[in-house]
Amino acid sequence: MNEIAGFLVFPAIAAAIFVVMHTWLGLHVLRRNVVFADLALAQLAALGAAMAVAAGHPPAGTAGFSYAVFFAGCGAVVLTILRSLPERVSQEAVIGVLYVVATALTVLVVDASPQGAEHVKKMLVGSILVVGRDEVAELLVLYGAIGIVHFAFRRQLLAASDPAAPGRGVMRGVFLWDLVFYASFAVVVTSSVRLAGVLLVFSFLIIPAVIGSLYCANAGRALAIGCAAGIAASLAGFAAAVAYDVPTGAVLVASFGATLIVAALLKTRAKIAGLGAACLLSSAVLAQGAWIIAAPAADQPLLALLERTTPLRTDVFLDEAEREQRALAAVNEERHSDAVERLRELERASRWQGEPLTEEQVQVLGAHQKAYSEMARGERFVQDHLRVQARIRGRWLIGLPTLAVGLVALFAFAATLRRALRR
Amino acid sequence: MHDAEEPLGRLALTAALLALWPAATPAWAQVNVVVTTPDLKSIAEAVSGGAARVHSLIAPGADPEAFEPRPAHLVALREADLVVRVGAGYEHWLDRLIQQAGKPHLLPGGEGYLDASAGIALLEMRGRSVTITPGHAHGSANPHYWLDPVNGLAIAQRVAGALARLAPAQRPGIEAAHARFAAELRQRTVEWQKALEPYKGAPLVTYHNTWPYFARRFRLNIVEVIEQKEGVPPGVGRLAAVAKTMREKKVRAVVHEPFQPIDASRALGERTGARVVVLAPSVGSVAEASDYLKLFEFNVRGLASALAQ
């Protein structure tokens, strides 16, 4: 456990720093209604990094960062000018085009440099897990500077972001404040995307800000609520990554999504939320009932979940002989897989211990491994076939009651929900 | 009269030259060989003695996992007399390309098709089935068999044989070049084995499962492979487990390749005090490994110096 905690200290600190900075920027972004500007700027930063690699610089150096900031900065200028465009030109459309063209250009640039592809892939998923002390120190310095600017001029920046702020029309230098905002936004996104990846940075930016805005209109308090939610989501995400041993970046994004759902649920009346959940569950049950009748040989997700978590089994539809056959197949599959593993270990040990195996011996060993693998696959096929047989035999007996229950429940809950909403 | 006959005369001369032209070419006609990897290209060029023009579909230094077929590849295949592939599921995209090129002699079983893996003792065999097991997601065995110089000898022999079959007029040249290459490879293999002998059984951790054949030939002990599923970065639990194993087995080096994200290996190295050493999995993946022999030279010296500390 200590080992794992040691790995997570700096990533957790980095996540907290990211949450604070990005929530504040996210509140601005929501007010300006340019949610996907983040993706466009991140992709431009990726394009810059790809160009740096194509020009021969190492991807993670100062040159790479400068290229990325330059390209993201150009994007920032475009976004600033966007505000002055006539009404009929949709901002989101231009941002979307910027994102798509930047992505395509990145593919073309990466094509010219062999290692660029790996770097670009990394920018999507990120590698927050391997953030170290140096990176955290750099972040503190950079974000500290930007934070001071934003704190000192918070009133002007908020007024520039808010389209409905009184006196905004006559505010001097709105263009300048827009530029300051987008420029600082570009620098922050560039520095965070290389560590956390595009997906996670989007989550840091939007989700805590949405949660904060949901609960409070005042920017300062929304920031506090958003930060709290974001840090809680990050900790939950890291815990899940450890518990289920899954890629950290992706599970963090999922955790942020779940936190948003929880926050939204907490805001709605408990009764409505409960009825809504009950409706969803009834629909799932209804769908499963209809599905097993229509296509019993296909995957049955809800049924599989029930079989895994409860003592319910579709085995009852198999006769004694078939059940024995299935059990025997499972045992044999395990035996064959073990045999493959043992042979693998034997070969591995012979590489550096004792006498090396001759080419013929390796070939014979390989042939055995192949044969055992095929046999294991055969046993798996037998088990799958029997499982499908059981479901086919039980389709009406399982399907009709499930369908009926789901239908009745859905009607009941939906009616109650509609009544509750009308009040 | 004179003016009307001149163009006719020129025409007759040109026709005569064109008729005799095919008889003039065989002496320097090269066999067009298309191979899939730069390693095969290096071996093919070494044994051909100038009798073959070799083109590699995967460019040197390119990530083999990120290969994308292009019109230029189809053109190359259309002009090919011989196609040499690594096999063992390494290039699943080649079959489609050959079919699209529409040359029946390049299809499996044709006289212009050579699967270099036939006859090689493959390691880590699995069945034909595609299951989610750790290691290589594609193919039925570990495909990186060219990283064993003895397998390189086998590849050289088969390629030389195929070339001699397709260009019988140049057989003496091909056989001489092949003999030279085989002799040098054998001699250097002994030297490399001697260089790595002090580190026999040294525990290593690799990021990607590229090195079983290399480990077998040079008697190295690969304790753990960090990447369990191709392309998926390792999670915290996996990194912690590997770090624990590294401490228990006193692993001193983490072997890494130029295309893998280096952060996980570097983090592990920092936490356990092991050195991260970058080795070349293929000719051209690092600048120093410009041909098959230099590839091993780079890898062996690199590993030896990393383990020496």
Side-chain angles (χ1 to χ4, degrees):
Chain A
M1 192 36 81
N2 257 337
E3 189 78 64
I4 295 182
F7 270 110
L8 286 180
V9 167
F10 286 115
I13 297 178
I17 299 175
F18 283 141
V19 163
V20 172
M21 185 80 236
H22 287 76
T23 309
W24 179 244
L25 291 173
L27 287 169
H28 279 276
V29 160
L30 287 178
R31 277 171 169 71
R32 288 168 177 269
N33 206 15
V34 286
V35 168
F36 292 104
D38 157 61
L39 288 178
L41 287 177
Q43 196 56 49
L44 282 166
L47 175 60
M51 295 218 71
V53 171
H57 301 281
T62 340
F65 187 62
S66 317
Y67 266 84
V69 167
F70 173 69
F71 275 81
C74 294
V77 170
V78 169
L79 289 171
T80 317
I81 298 173
L82 216 55
R83 289 270 228 159
S84 354
L85 288 179
E87 271 299 313
R88 64 177 179 281
V89 179
S90 155
Q91 279 193 77
E92 290 288 318
V94 176
I95 294 173
V97 168
L98 199 59
Y99 170 71
V100 165
V101 171
T103 313
L105 287 176
T106 312
V107 170
L108 289 174
V109 167
V110 152
D111 191 62
S113 67
Q115 290 196 24
E118 171 249 306
H119 181 71
V120 168
K121 195 164 56 170
K122 196 179 90 160
M123 280 193 114
L124 186 74
V125 171
S127 49
I128 191 164
L129 191 55
V130 291
V131 165
R133 191 184 8 221
D134 300 329
E135 283 95 353
V136 170
E138 280 168 16
L139 272 183
L140 280 173
V141 169
L142 183 64
Y143 286 10
I146 296 182
I148 290 175
V149 168
H150 270 261
F151 185 70
F153 300 110
R154 62 189 181 284
R155 259 181 272 276
Q156 291 91 325
L157 284 167
L158 274 171
S161 290
D162 198 342
R168 188 191 176 284
V170 298
M171 202 177 110
R172 271 205 306 251
V174 168
F175 187 83
L176 177 66
W177 293 116
D178 276 352
L179 190 60
V180 165
F181 170 71
Y182 280 120
S184 60
F185 187 34
V187 170
V188 166
V189 163
T190 309
S191 64
S192 57
V193 155
R194 41 190 352 223
L195 288 176
V198 171
L199 300 178
L200 192 51
V201 166
F202 186 83
S203 310
F204 281 142
L205 188 75
I206 300 298
I207 293 180
V210 166
I211 294 176
S213 316
L214 204 61
Y215 281 85
C216 191
N218 175 277
R221 260 171 286 179
L223 175 67
I225 295 175
C227 285
I231 293 180
S234 307
L235 289 175
F238 281 123
V242 169
Y244 301 112
D245 197 25
V246 283
T248 323
V251 83
L252 273 172
V253 173
S255 163
F256 270 80
T259 310
L260 179 60
I261 293 176
V262 167
L265 282 177
L266 286 175
K267 194 108 217 295
T268 49
R269 272 163 41 214
K271 186 170 176 183
I272 307 259
L275 283 172
C279 283
L280 275 174
L281 194 58
S282 326
S283 321
V285 169
L286 171 65
Q288 171 68 92
W291 185 237
I292 195 172
I293 295 177
D299 288 339
Q300 311 289 340
L302 205 55
L303 188 62
L305 184 66
L306 278 175
E307 280 188 310
R308 262 204 308 271
T309 51
T310 64
L312 290 169
R313 290 278 178 275
T314 47
D315 270 9
V316 296
F317 298 103
L318 297 173
D319 61 38
E320 191 63 44
E322 283 167 334
R323 248 174 277 165
E324 256 182 50
Q325 203 179 8
R326 190 165 165 183
L328 191 62
V331 165
N332 280 335
E333 183 190 0
E334 179 110 16
R335 250 196 17 220
H336 296 325
S337 304
D338 283 343
V340 173
E341 260 318 298
R342 270 202 312 271
L343 287 174
R344 192 187 165 117
E345 274 314 309
L346 182 71
E347 189 273 312
R348 270 237 283 248
S350 83
R351 284 182 207 161
W352 59 284
Q353 282 173 330
E355 280 302 309
L357 294 175
T358 65
E359 306 296 303
E360 291 75 30
Q361 284 174 322
V362 171
Q363 280 184 321
V364 166
L365 195 146
H368 275 96
Q369 278 182 314
K370 202 161 160 175
Y372 279 123
S373 298
E374 287 304 309
M375 281 155 53
R377 172 109 153 106
E379 304 291 353
R380 173 113 290 271
F381 177 76
V382 165
Q383 293 175 74
D384 288 343
H385 175 76
L386 286 172
R387 187 182 65 222
V388 167
Q389 280 298 102
R391 286 188 184 160
I392 290 178
R393 285 186 206 157
R395 71 206 277 197
W396 295 108
L397 214 56
I398 301 177
L400 278 177
T402 317
L403 190 63
V405 165
L407 207 57
V408 166
L410 185 60
F411 269 117
F413 286 126
T416 323
L417 182 62
R418 211 179 4 220
R419 259 205 313 275
L421 281 172
R422 226 173 275 145
R423 243 182 279 124
Chain B
M1 291 304 143
H2 190 68
D3 291 74
E5 276 174 9
E6 256 206 20
L8 219 56
R10 278 209 199 107
L11 196 60
L13 188 61
T14 320
L17 275 172
L18 281 172
L20 289 172
W21 184 250
T25 44
W28 60 82
Q30 286 186 309
V31 180
N32 264 329
V33 182
V34 169
V35 301
T36 49
T37 65
D39 314 279
L40 289 176
K41 174 173 176 182
S42 166
I43 296 178
E45 280 175 342
V47 303
S48 72
R53 188 169 39 222
V54 188
H55 173 73
S56 167
L57 290 178
I58 297 177
D63 184 358
E65 310 291 327
F67 177 81
E68 276 190 29
R70 240 167 259 198
H73 299 138
L74 274 179
V75 170
L77 274 174
R78 285 224 177 90
E79 297 169 350
D81 302 309
L82 175 66
V83 147
V84 186
R85 73 185 303 171
V86 167
Y90 192 62
E91 326 94 330
H92 49 89
W93 37 264
L94 185 66
D95 304 294
R96 193 74 206 285
L97 266 183
I98 297 180
Q99 270 179 342
Q100 267 188 302
K103 285 302 188 72
H105 71 273
L106 294 178
L107 290 170
E111 62 161 26
Y113 176 85
L114 178 61
D115 184 338
S117 69
I120 303 259
L122 293 171
L123 299 179
E124 297 177 359
M125 290 272 256
R126 268 174 284 122
R128 275 265 130 223
S129 47
V130 178
T131 49
I132 319 274
T133 49
H136 283 87
H138 48 72
S140 57
N142 191 305
H144 301 267
Y145 58 83
W146 64 87
L147 286 169
D148 180 348
V150 171
N151 287 339
L153 284 173
I155 300 174
Q157 184 173 22
R158 308 225 23 239
V159 171
L163 284 176
R165 184 168 40 87
L166 288 170
Q170 299 170 54
R171 182 181 287 268
I174 296 173
E175 283 177 353
H178 172 220
R180 267 197 312 271
F181 176 71
E184 186 172 3
L185 186 55
R186 277 200 196 93
Q187 182 208 344
R188 301 281 288 276
T189 304
V190 171
E191 285 172 17
W192 294 323
Q193 279 176 318
K194 226 180 294 190
L196 282 178
E197 189 158 331
Y199 313 110
K200 174 180 154 178
L204 295 175
V205 162
T206 70
Y207 186 82
H208 185 62
N209 195 12
T210 316
W211 306 98
Y213 297 89
F214 190 83
R216 175 163 170 249
R217 188 55 50 199
F218 298 109
R219 316 229 69 199
L220 303 165
N221 177 13
I222 297 180
V223 171
E224 209 42 281
V225 173
I226 302 175
E227 190 194 52
Q228 281 182 309
K229 291 188 191 129
E230 274 205 46
V232 175
V236 186
R238 177 78 191 138
L239 283 182
V242 173
K244 184 155 166 267
T245 312
M246 281 173 76
R247 288 218 182 86
E248 279 169 10
K249 303 260 170 79
K250 299 198 189 19
V251 172
R252 288 201 329 269
V254 176
V255 173
H256 202 80
E257 293 157 47
F259 300 118
Q260 312 291 341
I262 198 163
D263 302 311
S265 306
R266 200 158 33 106
L268 274 178
E270 277 167 16
R271 292 192 65 77
T272 57
R275 276 181 61 111
V276 176
V277 51
V278 175
L279 296 185
S282 169
V283 168
S285 51
V286 299
E288 294 92 332
S290 50
D291 69 39
Y292 191 65
L293 294 168
K294 294 205 183 73
L295 171 73
F296 282 98
E297 195 64 39
F298 176 80
N299 285 343
V300 168
R301 304 295 165 205
L303 193 57
S305 69
L307 288 173
Q309 302 173 355

